[in-house]
Amino acid sequence: MAETAPSLAGQYLLPKILEALKMLRDLPKEVANITEELESFQDFINDADQVAEAEEDDGRRDRIKKRVMRLREAAFRMEDIIDEFSIHEENNPHDPRCEALLCEAVEFIKTRILQLQIAYKIQDVKSLVCAERDGFQKQFPLPTKPSGSRGNQNVTWHKLRMDPLFIEQDEVVGFESPRRTLKNWLIEGREERTVISVVGLAGVGKTTLAKQVFDNVHNNFECHALITVSQSYTVEGLLRDMLHQLCKENMENLPADVSTMDRRSLLEEVRKQLHNKRYVVMFDDVWNEKFWDDVEYAVIDDKNKSRILITSRDEKVADFCKRSSFTEVHKLEEPLSEEECFRLFCNKAFKYGSDGRCPEELKDISLEIVRKCKGLPLAIVAIGGLLSQKDFCADEWVLFSQNLSLELKRNSALNSVARILSLSYYDLPYNLRSCLLYFGMYPKGYEVKSDRLIRQWIAEGFVKYEGGKTLEEVAQQYLSELIHRNLVQVSLFTIDGKVKRCRVHFSLRDMILGKIKDRWFCRYIDEHDQSMLNGSIRRLTIKTGFNNLIGRSIERSHIRSILIVTEKGLSEHFINSIPEKYMLLKVLDFEDARLYHVPENLGNLIHLKYLSFKNTRVQSVPKSIGELQNLETLDVRQTRVFEMPKEINKLRKLHHLLANYISSIQLKDSLGGMTSLKKIPSLIMDDDGGVIRELGKLKQLRGLSITHVKGEHGNALCSSINEMRLLEKLHVDTIDKKEVIDLHFMSPSSALRKLCLNGKLTKLPNWIPQLQNLVKLSLMCSNLTYDPLESLKDLQSLLFLSISHRAFEGETLHFQEGWFLRLKILELKYLYNLNSIIIDRGSLFSLKNLQLSEIPQLKAVPYGILHLHRLEVLDIWLMPTEFEHSIARNGGKEHWIIQHVPRVRIISRVGAEILEELYKTAFETMKRPTFEIKEISKFFTQRLDPELSAKMNS
């Protein structure tokens, strides 16, 4: 019997141990394999998705969608396994060794039990994926080419798409201004061939506008052709179509072998037809940006004012033509006015049933329906056409309006609107689709900051590395791509033209909401939707204060992101449950929520990459923050957090530490170890300046703001900043405005774009005029006694210049001819000795906004303002009484100097004091920090309308 146990171990146990060791050794390879398989599987899901989208039979479409969800759930499981492995691999680096002794092998396996579980999960999920893929193919075989193309859409779809090409002139509504612009470009202008592009969102009326103008002008040309391109086309097909139209118009016979001609022969025949003729050709609905390569040689340029007219959803199509042709681009983004929308609606709804006029009893409900279309002609035409078939019964129309969202989904006539919009979605690369769907996480009409959006995309894993670029740079390209395709609208730009805020059009959002629901991408919960959540929901947006809606089903699902967008209170029970129930979270965003505390066990969220408490009532961050080893963004701006626990120095992957002000006391000995940091808050300097030495170790830093700097810190600060070769933004603020900072030893990065120096300077540092990428410069409390403009005039990229708070102690500032030609915003504030501002003709050519504030010796308005023809806003704040009287609208002797400025805003000292007192009282009641009171007061004051200013002055 003594030999039986070893024998059994050798016979049964040893093979299992060897199998386990092999699985552990092969685990990295297996993970790499399923990562690659996941990409292929996602392509398969995408094709299956388009099969469902194109299916006309409702029952069959529902069955396909259910099978697609099973495919998607299998893909979710693959993603979970890959994430699980990456976390455990970081904490327990893989050890491929095979133990010589049985006991050592067993001990090794015990320490790797979690990895072994992952290995078995991989086996299971590979079997699942294979079974689901085969099962789908067996039940719904995918065609060689996915059936999402135009050739497989229904009659209603085709009709909506083709209607604009055959619309009568008197049925066209709106577009007066763009019609004039396009007509002028087509008929007038240069001799050379010119490509004129109309770009915009699907359904906004590009084809309607272009076709109407084309019909109006083609008689001014010797020959013309109109070609519908669409997503699927062949070059040979386009050329044959052109040849047919041109030969017919010229009353010539087609070449006998036209049906068998190759591309080169067709090109030559088209060129013959166009040679020495002034022609206009319209290419409608172009998708491929390289389309121009296919037709460029056919549309010959004989320098006789020939024109090409293109409509496209993608601005890149227009940009691509610039390589070899003159171009003009009209971006059709202004919606129709409410009056125009109503006229268009009436044309469709009442033309054949009520003499084209809206019955009195239907006017109110018709306007309500029109407003819901948000100026989108495609939706107005489709809905108006459908309602034209209904009885003119107010009750029935009210019911239709109340259920419009549902009607858009279930009614075949209206469902085609969503399909046309969906084409843009399916034309996107896979990773950009997820980026677009992410806009569905935000409320209707929400303008999201691009920085926030990009960091969340990165945290979600949507953004992949591309050679030599950072993830932020790649994500910026993704956003630009969505904007160029007119899927995302820019609502606010930075001064140098970068996207600051963006959103999606309401019609696209409706399409997005449908897709995120079908794909379990996200669930949006508000007061109207508090149902139980079933399925593998990946993301959750909560826009309600009720916290008992989170049922058991969602607790078992794999939530990756939670976005809180409610201003209502959140219960402590719900907040405390997050680290316990949602441990796979990658994004946790409380921005603007009424949050008062943070759970102590926050460190449970080891997968977390993005964490925001911005604009909440949070007062501190728990020590467990140090356990979030994968955290990349921590945002505590506009909170009461002014100190960070020292455990934060463990966050080696943290890129963005965002706060208004943070004490450096806890960080001064450890900040240098956080080498991944790209952006840090305004650091309050410690007494001995120790944190400055740590700053020099942060080679990846792009933005630095440091306050309470002393003169003795100058050399160390220069030394540290000289190490930051990627630095783009720098703000230095002294502890006392009399403290002199010597920055002459600094040689900052040539990448520096924004610079603010707040402190006394012996003279302007000689490196500032060398910053040729500088777009924004602020000088405060500098006490310069000589005019700094001479030194700054050659900053070719400068767009914003602020000289304020005794930055200049002289009496005259002179802007000479040819200086600051690109400058858009100029602020001259709190300059107590300045009595003369000279602006020569030919200086400040691009200036749009000029602010003169608290300059007590400046009694008269600068005459040179008369030369600033592009000036849009002139702010006159807290200026002398004589100055204000001289420019008064009624009787001011020098009012004529500024009367060309569209917007003049005047705030007297009395008005400003009233405002400040009001805001201070309001926000002290809310127990806001002092810095917020000042910032908010400044925000409101800067945006006062002239009318409000006048009331305050009185």
Side-chain angles (χ1 to χ4, degrees), residues 436-474:
L436 180 62
L437 293 184
Y438 212 77
F439 280 92
M441 296 273 288
Y442 294 97
K444 185 176 182 179
Y446 191 88
E447 296 180 1
V448 59
K449 281 193 173 181
S450 60
D451 287 346
R452 178 186 184 186
L453 186 69
I454 282 171
R455 288 165 189 156
Q456 290 175 345
W457 283 354
I458 292 172
E460 292 274 5
F462 300 157
V463 185
K464 308 299 180 185
Y465 279 108
E466 294 180 6
K469 298 176 182 175
T470 66
L471 287 178
E472 285 82 1
E473 290 170 339
V474 176

Side-chain angles (χ1 to χ4, degrees), residues 570-594:
L570 300 170
S571 73
E572 286 193 24
H573 173 74
F574 170 68
I575 300 302
N576 291 332
S577 71
I578 292 177
E580 299 171 0
K581 297 178 179 178
Y582 310 112
M583 294 181 64
L584 291 173
L585 280 179
K586 290 187 174 182
V587 173
L588 180 56
D589 190 343
F590 289 99
E591 184 169 330
D592 298 326
R594 288 177 60 187

Side-chain angles (χ1 to χ4, degrees), residues 820-844:
F820 303 102
L821 295 182
R822 294 191 63 196
L823 199 70
K824 292 183 179 180
I825 300 177
L826 173 63
E827 294 182 352
L828 303 174
K829 305 184 297 183
Y830 306 102
L831 304 175
Y832 297 101
N833 296 325
L834 185 66
N835 60 35
S836 175
I837 299 175
I838 303 170
I839 303 174
D840 290 349
R841 186 189 298 272
S843 70
L844 299 172

Side-chain angles (χ1 to χ4, degrees), residues 82-236:
I82 293 167
D83 284 345
E84 194 175 344
F85 171 78
S86 66
I87 296 297
H88 289 302
E89 185 70 0
E90 289 174 5
N91 296 333
N92 301 285
H94 189 68
D95 187 348
R97 63 194 169 95
C98 289
E99 310 301 337
L101 300 176
L102 183 62
C103 60
E104 290 182 2
V106 171
E107 287 302 315
F108 175 74
I109 291 171
K110 283 182 179 178
T111 63
R112 295 293 185 269
I113 193 67
L114 291 175
Q115 284 91 330
L116 189 58
Q117 289 175 355
I118 293 173
Y120 280 113
K121 288 179 182 178
I122 288 176
Q123 288 185 344
D124 292 342
V125 80
K126 288 171 73 173
S127 299
L128 174 65
V129 167
C130 184
E132 290 295 344
R133 189 198 297 260
D134 292 346
F136 187 92
Q137 279 283 46
K138 185 176 180 181
Q139 191 173 0
F140 309 106
L142 291 180
T144 305
K145 187 173 182 178
S147 56
S149 65
R150 293 174 185 258
N152 294 283
Q153 303 297 337
N154 63 20
V155 175
T156 304
W157 193 101
H158 272 298
K159 187 174 187 308
L160 273 176
R161 183 65 197 86
M162 298 302 290
D163 272 352
L165 294 175
F166 299 99
I167 192 170
E168 296 295 332
Q169 292 278 351
D170 58 359
E171 294 183 51
V172 178
V173 174
F175 303 132
E176 282 78 7
S177 177
R179 272 187 296 186
R180 288 193 296 270
T181 299
L182 291 180
K183 186 175 181 179
N184 183 63
W185 286 344
L186 285 163
I187 296 177
E188 306 298 333
R190 61 181 68 87
E191 299 293 324
E192 291 86 358
R193 176 194 64 195
T194 303
V195 179
I196 298 165
S197 301
V198 182
V199 296
L201 174 73
V204 79
K206 301 181 297 295
T207 299
T208 300
L209 169 63
K211 175 61 164 51
Q212 186 188 26
V213 176
F214 177 83
D215 288 342
N216 283 335
V217 305
H218 69 67
N219 288 333
N220 295 75
F221 296 82
E222 295 175 66
C223 58
H224 64 274
L226 192 159
I227 313 294
T228 299
V229 182
S230 301
Q231 284 176 292
S232 301
Y233 72 89
T234 64
V235 181
E236 292 79 6

Side-chain angles (χ1 to χ4, degrees), residues 914-932:
I914 293 172
L915 259 186
E916 188 168 355
E917 189 62 33
L918 284 172
Y919 293 136
K920 186 175 181 180
T921 302
F923 285 96
E924 280 179 348
T925 303
M926 297 171 64
K927 295 183 171 61
R928 288 283 191 175
T930 304
F931 77 88
E932 285 191 41

Side-chain angles (χ1 to χ4, degrees), residues 31 34-35 38-39 41-42 45 71-86 125 129 430 434 460-462 464 519-521 536 538-539 558 560 584 586 607:
V31 172
I34 69 161
T35 302
L38 177 60
E39 293 184 13
F41 193 48
Q42 285 171 333
I45 294 172
L71 295 172
R72 191 163 279 116
E73 194 162 12
F76 289 165
R77 288 186 61 181
M78 295 173 79
E79 291 175 352
D80 291 341
I81 291 169
I82 293 167
D83 284 345
E84 194 175 344
F85 171 78
S86 66
V125 80
V129 167
Y430 191 85
S434 297
E460 292 274 5
F462 300 157
K464 308 299 180 185
R519 288 155 179 74
W520 289 341
F521 183 91
S536 298
R538 302 304 265 183
R539 297 164 191 87
H558 302 292
R560 297 299 185 88
L584 291 173
K586 290 187 174 182
H607 295 258

